[in-house]
Amino acid sequence: FRPDWERFKADLRFGLESYGGAVAGFLLHRQDQFLVAYFREPAEVGHYAVAYSLIMMMGILPNAIQAAFLPKVTARYYQDGEKESMTPFVCRVMMLLSLAIGLVAAALVWPVIRVFYGAEFLPAVPPFLLLLPAVIFLAGLSTLHSAMQARSAQRWISIGAGVALVVNLGLDLWMIPRWGIEGAAVASSSAYLV
């Protein structure tokens, strides 16, 4: 057994570049909830948590498709330079699928929250609706992330996540004290679209 140090260095670089984006993404998904807890009443934290957890459920299907898509894109890129890219087609399909899911979710969010959480959680509906455009956009972005990872360009994903994190923090600090959970939702949607 002889270690391949060049491969090890390349894999380590890939992992470290990806890790920054993972940390920034985690913080991006959580910081608005922490700031809502800091600036607002506990009831608003609960309403926002419900809206955010329902929104995150909408990402399950796009994330599963991305996980299936990444190996195929990577193989195609390294075999033939991806002369016939699948990325634009899959990106369009993902965004259309997410749009359809989003329209259904927008129509059903009020009765779902009323039935499963109770009328006291209906203030979660506006933040849910304000987060919806970003989730639709993120479905297409997840496809682009797969294509970028296939090209070992994960550094740009990490940089983008870092920029979005800073934008979200600034908007959260400005909007949450003024507009509460609706402000948090607008700040998050805006940051995701950066």
Side-chain angles (χ1 to χ4, degrees):
F1 172 75
R2 194 185 286 161
D4 183 350
W5 293 109
E6 290 304 312
R7 183 78 224 154
F8 174 76
K9 285 192 290 187
D11 289 347
L12 183 62
R13 184 175 50 250
F14 182 90
L16 290 174
E17 288 175 354
S18 298
Y19 185 71
V23 170
F26 172 80
L27 292 173
L28 182 62
H29 288 306
R30 299 288 178 246
Q31 80 179 354
D32 53 344
Q33 294 177 44
F34 294 137
L35 291 170
V36 166
Y38 180 77
F39 286 115
R40 307 303 288 195
E41 297 296 319
E44 285 187 70
V45 177
H47 298 148
Y48 193 73
V50 167
Y52 205 86
S53 65
L54 291 174
I55 276 294
M56 287 297 107
M57 281 200 265
M58 290 183 55
I60 292 172
L61 181 61
N63 288 340
I65 293 172
Q66 177 200 10
F69 179 63
L70 179 60
K72 189 175 276 271
V73 169
T74 304
R76 182 174 262 189
Y77 179 75
Y78 283 106
Q79 287 171 358
D80 63 347
E82 198 175 14
K83 293 178 186 112
E84 295 178 25
S85 178
M86 297 169 32
T87 304
F89 171 74
V90 174
C91 187
R92 285 190 299 272
V93 168
M94 292 295 295
M95 294 212 34
L96 287 173
L97 178 63
S98 288
L99 179 61
I101 291 170
L103 291 172
V104 171
L108 296 178
V109 68
W110 190 88
V112 165
I113 289 176
R114 181 151 177 90
V115 169
F116 291 103
Y117 295 95
E120 60 274 9
F121 280 92
L122 287 175
V125 172
F128 176 89
L129 295 173
L130 291 168
L131 287 164
L132 202 52
V135 170
I136 293 166
F137 174 76
L138 286 175
L141 190 61
S142 69
T143 305
L144 296 177
H145 282 181
S146 291
M148 291 173 76
Q149 287 173 329
R151 291 167 177 80
S152 295
Q154 66 283 350
R155 170 183 321 159
W156 297 107
I157 298 169
S158 294
I159 290 169
V163 169
L165 178 65
V166 171
V167 167
N168 192 37
L169 178 61
L171 290 174
D172 275 342
L173 291 172
W174 179 57
M175 296 178 122
I176 292 172
R178 289 168 179 77
W179 299 295
I181 57 178
E182 288 84 3
V186 169
S188 287
S189 280
S190 299
Y192 292 142
L193 296 174
V194 166

